[in-house]
Amino acid sequence: MAATHVLATADLLSDVLGTQPAPELWLVIVTGVAALAVTLPRPVWRLARNAVTIAHEGGHGLVALVMGRRLEGIRLHSDTSGLTVSRGRPTGLGMILTAAAGYTAPSLLGLGGAGLLAAGRITLLLWVATALLLVMLVMIRNVYGALTMVVTGGAFLLVSWLTEPEVQAAFAYSAVWFLLLGGVRPVFELQVKRRHGGAPDSDADQLGRLTNVPPALWLFFFHAVSLSSLIGGGRWLLGL
């Protein structure tokens, strides 16, 4: 019995850490078009944006922990907004990096995911995403946020555990394309809001107060990260 468990564990590790063949180019293109179709139409985007909010708030939380801040909790709201609360020095590098992590996180996660897919690590990507979602679930402090995390994490877990390699590849490429494309739109939305006098306490404005750098320059930084990640990640996914 013990030997059987050892063999099963070895097989699982081999599947997770091993490489999988890249899907056909047509599948990569179709998943990219599907992600674009989810990102552009406003009614669909309002629902799909929840996934970008998870990455956004997760970025705040992860960097806060890395910088030695105490993460109090994360809330996800039905209007696709979110809130991450951490304790520590109200100024300094840790606070600056924590504030800068939100709008850059979806795109950088997408870029990292594209790197894994380009290396043939499809299963590893799905398991890493599942693990990150489960860790984040522990820090959620409201019912809607917990439900969103359970549904999202459950989808990744079921696909990575139960489906065929072709389905896993389609799901993984769709998720990464969506992070790359979906990471671009919120920055433009924030720019429009600020132009009309909205979002006075946005991440860009907080960074402006922390660094004495104009919020417009922080918006430019967010744009640079998201668009560069889309270009670089897209090239990796397409094998260019």
Side-chain angles (χ1 to χ4, degrees), residues 64-138:
L65 290 174
V66 170
M67 298 306 298
R69 298 178 63 81
R70 188 174 67 198
L71 184 59
E72 296 287 324
I74 299 172
R75 291 176 174 270
L76 305 174
H77 304 134
S78 58
D79 62 354
T80 72
S81 66
L83 176 66
T84 299
V85 178
S86 62
R87 302 296 181 188
R89 287 184 57 195
T91 58
L93 182 62
M95 188 62 203
I96 292 171
L97 293 180
T98 299
Y103 278 97
T104 57
S107 296
L108 292 178
L109 286 172
L111 183 63
L116 285 176
L117 294 180
R121 309 286 182 172
I122 297 173
T123 304
L124 178 61
L125 168 68
L126 295 173
W127 280 78
V128 168
T130 303
L132 290 174
L133 290 167
L134 290 175
V135 170
M136 186 174 170
L137 174 62
V138 177

Side-chain angles (χ1 to χ4, degrees), residues 8-169:
T9 302
D11 289 341
L12 177 61
L13 287 176
S14 177
D15 290 339
V16 173
L17 300 179
T19 59
Q20 293 77 42
E24 298 290 337
L25 180 60
W26 68 264
L27 179 62
V28 178
I29 294 174
V30 167
T31 54
V33 172
L36 187 63
V38 171
T39 305
L40 290 180
R42 189 175 184 84
V44 182
W45 169 247
R46 290 186 62 184
L47 178 62
R49 199 183 193 280
N50 283 286
V52 176
T53 303
I54 291 174
H56 180 115
E57 300 303 331
H60 282 313
L62 177 61
V63 173
L65 290 174
V66 170
M67 298 306 298
R69 298 178 63 81
R70 188 174 67 198
L71 184 59
E72 296 287 324
I74 299 172
R75 291 176 174 270
L76 305 174
H77 304 134
S78 58
D79 62 354
T80 72
S81 66
L83 176 66
T84 299
V85 178
S86 62
R87 302 296 181 188
R89 287 184 57 195
T91 58
L93 182 62
M95 188 62 203
I96 292 171
L97 293 180
T98 299
Y103 278 97
T104 57
S107 296
L108 292 178
L109 286 172
L111 183 63
L116 285 176
L117 294 180
R121 309 286 182 172
I122 297 173
T123 304
L124 178 61
L125 168 68
L126 295 173
W127 280 78
V128 168
T130 303
L132 290 174
L133 290 167
L134 290 175
V135 170
M136 186 174 170
L137 174 62
V138 177
M139 299 307 303
I140 296 295
R141 295 293 181 265
N142 66 322
V143 174
Y144 180 82
L147 178 62
T148 301
M149 294 302 302
V150 168
V151 171
T152 306
F156 274 88
L157 180 61
L158 290 174
V159 169
S160 61
W161 190 264
L162 299 177
T163 64
E164 298 298 320
E166 294 80 7
V167 178
Q168 292 185 12

Side-chain angles (χ1 to χ4, degrees), residues 133-219:
L133 290 167
L134 290 175
V135 170
M136 186 174 170
L137 174 62
V138 177
M139 299 307 303
I140 296 295
R141 295 293 181 265
N142 66 322
V143 174
Y144 180 82
L147 178 62
T148 301
M149 294 302 302
V150 168
V151 171
T152 306
F156 274 88
L157 180 61
L158 290 174
V159 169
S160 61
W161 190 264
L162 299 177
T163 64
E164 298 298 320
E166 294 80 7
V167 178
Q168 292 185 12
F171 186 84
Y173 273 81
S174 296
V176 170
W177 272 122
F178 177 72
L179 285 173
L180 291 171
L181 292 164
V184 174
R185 181 164 179 172
V187 185
F188 283 98
E189 291 177 338
L190 176 59
Q191 184 174 357
V192 172
K193 285 181 181 178
R194 293 192 72 259
R195 185 180 300 155
H196 292 87
D201 200 36
S202 70
D203 291 356
D205 292 279
Q206 292 182 46
L207 286 163
R209 292 191 289 268
L210 287 167
T211 62
N212 292 321
V213 174
L217 288 182
W218 283 107
L219 273 173

